[in-house]
Amino acid sequence: MTRILFVCTGNICRSPMAEFILKALVKARGLQDSFYIESAAVSDEEYGNPIYPPARRCLHQHGVWFDPSKTARTVVPEDYERFDRIICMDSSNIRWIRYIIPSDPEKKIHLMMSYTGSGRDVADPWYTGDFERAFQDILTACEAMLDVRK
């Protein structure tokens, strides 16, 4: 089983979107038994808060189921042992995660868009307001991630 942790700044927009997008793709491909998927934050500023309403609306508009009881949590050092991949939405998240998980000897920490062959960030819709663009970037990267697995 591949265990994936998606990470963003607050765990209320991009990383929960990625969590539920990948869960939907995995389910559509009949791979539920092959993956365990969660999301978390590098910051504790949103700890305990639900998925941000515009992110929820975006998932709903695309027919992506999400757990309405999902709340933000913070990455902890133990996550390094619990997960096979820790996938960050942007380079700032990678810098911040190095304070929580200072060493990556198994090369588990990745940038989300690296799965598409790009080194760019998934723009933060908290600041841009463009949840659709974030959704499309995340969807493209998740599909690429699954295609690499074949």
Side-chain angles (χ1 to χ4, degrees), residues 6 18 21-22 25 112 137-146:
F6 290 109
I21 289 168
L22 186 59
L25 292 173
M112 183 73 178
D137 280 351
I138 293 165
L139 176 63
T140 299
C142 285
E143 288 172 336
M145 184 187 317
L146 290 176

Side-chain angles (χ1 to χ4, degrees), residues 80 84-86 98 103-110 115:
Y80 193 80
D84 302 305
R85 292 188 219 161
I86 300 172
R98 297 290 184 211
S103 178
D104 183 16
E106 297 177 49
K107 307 292 184 220
K108 294 181 178 186
I109 300 171
H110 304 221
Y115 290 94

Side-chain angles (χ1 to χ4, degrees), residues 8 30 37 59 61 65 72 74 78 84 93 107 124 132 149:
C8 70
I37 306 158
L59 289 169
Q61 288 168 348
W65 178 87
T74 306
E78 296 78 19
D84 302 305
N93 301 152
K107 307 292 184 220
D124 192 341
E132 181 62 26
R149 189 173 179 273

Side-chain angles (χ1 to χ4, degrees), residues 14 25 38 43 53-54 62 71 73 76 101 113 128-129 134 145:
R14 294 172 295 170
L25 292 173
E38 280 188 31
S43 166
H62 285 279
T71 58
R73 78 165 184 88
V76 294
I101 302 170
M113 294 307 289
T128 68
M145 184 187 317

Side-chain angles (χ1 to χ4, degrees), residues 78-92:
E78 296 78 19
D79 285 330
Y80 193 80
E81 296 306 319
R82 290 185 55 225
F83 292 93
D84 302 305
R85 292 188 219 161
I86 300 172
I87 302 171
C88 297
M89 296 297 128
D90 63 39
S91 53
S92 172

Side-chain angles (χ1 to χ4, degrees), residues 8-9 12-17 52 54-55 58 89-90 121-135 137-138:
C8 70
T9 306
I12 61 168
C13 297
R14 294 172 295 170
S15 62
M17 288 173 74
Y52 191 51
C58 187
M89 296 297 128
D90 63 39
D121 296 341
V122 174
D124 192 341
W126 176 264
Y127 299 105
T128 68
D130 195 343
F131 287 84
E132 181 62 26
R133 179 174 176 216
F135 180 94
D137 280 351
I138 293 165

